[in-house]
Amino acid sequence: MLTLGVESSCDDLSMALVEAGRVLANVTASQTAAHAPFGGVVPEIASRRHLEALEATLDLTLKKAQKNLSQLRGIAATFAPGLVGSLLVGLNFAKALAMALQIPFRGVHHIEGHLWSAALENSVETPFLGLAVSGGHSHLYLVKGVGDYQVLGHTVDDAAGEAFDKIAKLIGLGYPGGPAIDRLSERGDPAAFYFALPRVKGHPLHTSFSGMKTAAVDYFRRHGDSPQFQANLAASFQAAVVRALSTMVARALQHHPVKQVVLAGGVACNRALRAALQELLQDRDIRLAMPSPQYCTDNGAMIAFTGEKYLEGSEDSPLSLNAFARSPLGQGSPGRKGL
Ligand code: KG4
Ligand code: ZN
């Protein structure tokens, strides 16, 4: 069923049209340049820009897919988690459009969308282990189907993307930091600086990035900031984050012998992480599904895809569904019975 997906949880407004799981168009209005001078996302700017971009983004999405509004059969939008002002713009737009067109609406959890983003281009079979790594999450899930998510492990402090962004800021690489660290690491030595593998007592599947961050700040203060030092610190820090995440996956596989692992979220763009997981899994004959970079970062396609799955089963959400800054995935659903 032709489904429009609206994603507006942070600083990108993205809309997509998906039909029978296939992406017909995905259009993203990026605000990166507007936030870069501030070194991070300014919530008020983000929501205002979303509001300004709604109409043109919808028009362009329909045009690219060569569809019109009357052909839509369902609308999905991210309802949580994220910046509430940003979420409300996309969510209310989607609900109003669904009401005007008298078609069903579905709220989708942002991380749930990320977990299914690998299915946009790959065949994905359940059960799978899903590692969602973004600016706000570093969570490992056992996914048994749409709506069936069990958290196996997570960071107990910073998310991986947040840690990359902070270290990039420290080195002076600007915002967003993850891609800058990825690029700079190419010229650095990943073994130049030692970072201990994080341990969370009693929780072998949890991880932590705050200790690494403190160690990086310490190295920065002690060793100056020559270009080679910066590249070495970036490469060593990146290697440590990748080691922590790969360890989470390797440990989870000991207890959950799945045939497929899905890597998702903005940090899934990271080339070292992609390579490390590929290496880890090919030795064990487990398939790795990763979205292409355009579907790793926030996109409307993952929301439309997930929304379509629910709507195909007539699992729509009430138009009273609100936006939530925080909402753990797997605890309640925004369907008519949940939340
Ligand atoms: O999923 P996403 O687009 O938005 C959130 O849901 O947070 O993820 C954004 C995060 C940012 O922290 C960004 O620095 C990080 O993903 N990121 C990367 C790379 N590309 C984006 N981190 C490491 N390496 C990259 N290549
Ligand atoms: Zn995201």
Side-chain angles (χ1 to χ4, degrees):
M1 62 193 285
L2 185 65
T3 305
L4 172 72
V6 182
E7 156 57 41
S8 69
S9 63
C10 193
D11 60 336
D12 283 337
L13 173 69
S14 186
M15 292 192 200
L17 283 167
V18 163
E19 193 165 34
R22 208 169 58 87
V23 185
L24 306 185
N26 183 69
V27 175
T28 301
S30 173
Q31 302 178 5
T32 307
H35 299 281
F38 302 97
V41 177
V42 182
E44 290 76 10
I45 295 179
S47 51
R48 192 164 320 160
R49 292 250 176 167
H50 283 337
L51 206 54
E52 290 163 3
L54 282 171
E55 216 177 304
T57 308
L58 176 64
D59 285 350
L60 190 54
T61 310
L62 288 166
K63 196 170 158 201
K64 279 198 168 176
Q66 298 187 314
K67 298 283 182 190
N68 58 55
L69 277 183
S70 67
Q71 292 171 292
L72 283 185
R73 293 294 170 266
I75 302 187
T78 310
F79 76 96
L83 302 170
V84 157
S86 287
L87 284 166
L88 280 171
V89 175
L91 181 66
N92 285 334
F93 176 75
K95 290 196 295 187
L97 198 56
M99 191 157 80
L101 297 173
Q102 300 205 323
I103 56 175
F105 158 78
R106 174 74 200 196
V108 174
H109 190 287
H110 182 74
I111 295 302
E112 176 174 31
H114 272 307
L115 286 172
W116 291 107
S117 61
L120 295 168
E121 300 156 305
N122 304 270
S123 73
V124 167
E125 277 168 44
T126 52
F128 63 80
L129 285 189
L131 179 63
V133 271
S134 68
H137 284 73
S138 293
H139 282 51
L140 185 63
Y141 299 91
L142 176 63
V143 180
K144 292 195 189 140
V146 174
D148 190 343
Y149 313 104
Q150 183 189 342
V151 184
L152 301 179
H154 57 79
T155 175
V156 293
D157 38 59
D158 288 4
E162 190 181 358
F164 275 130
D165 291 341
K166 284 179 182 165
I167 296 309
K169 200 168 182 176
L170 173 79
I171 303 179
L173 301 178
Y175 172 84
I181 295 264
D182 192 343
R183 281 192 301 273
L184 184 60
S185 296
E186 268 179 33
R187 291 189 270 124
D189 174 6
F193 295 100
Y194 171 76
F195 290 94
L197 185 69
R199 275 164 187 262
V200 179
K201 216 172 159 200
H203 295 280
L205 296 185
H206 284 356
T207 195
S208 153
F209 297 108
S210 73
M212 282 181 203
K213 217 178 54 193
T214 309
V217 172
D218 197 44
Y219 285 133
F220 187 78
R221 291 214 179 109
R222 282 195 284 138
H223 296 271
D225 58 357
S226 71
Q228 192 53 52
F229 162 82
Q230 291 181 352
N232 285 345
L233 186 65
S236 303
F237 184 77
Q238 175 177 273
V241 172
V242 168
R243 205 178 317 124
L245 294 172
S246 311
T247 303
M248 254 176 125
V249 173
R251 287 184 182 159
L253 285 170
Q254 291 171 4
H255 304 282
H256 304 280
V258 293
K259 299 229 161 41
Q260 192 165 39
V261 171
V262 161
L263 176 63
V267 181
C269 290
N270 187 270
R271 288 167 297 170
L273 178 60
R274 293 170 86 94
L277 285 184
Q278 221 140 23
E279 199 183 313
L280 173 81
L281 298 176
Q282 78 191 17
D283 289 350
R284 296 162 201 234
D285 207 19
I286 296 170
R287 288 200 303 137
L288 175 63
M290 302 183 282
S292 56
Q294 64 164 332
Y295 296 133
C296 285
T297 48
D298 294 348
N299 63 86
M302 66 186 194
I303 303 303
F305 180 94
T306 311
E308 188 190 34
K309 290 269 173 273
Y310 280 110
L311 293 175
E312 277 170 349
S314 300
E315 290 189 65
D316 62 338
S317 302
L319 291 176
S320 56
L321 179 67
N322 209 344
F324 298 92
R326 291 169 182 273
S327 166
L329 179 60
Q331 294 179 15
S333 133
R336 295 201 169 269
K337 290 183 218 124
L339 273 178

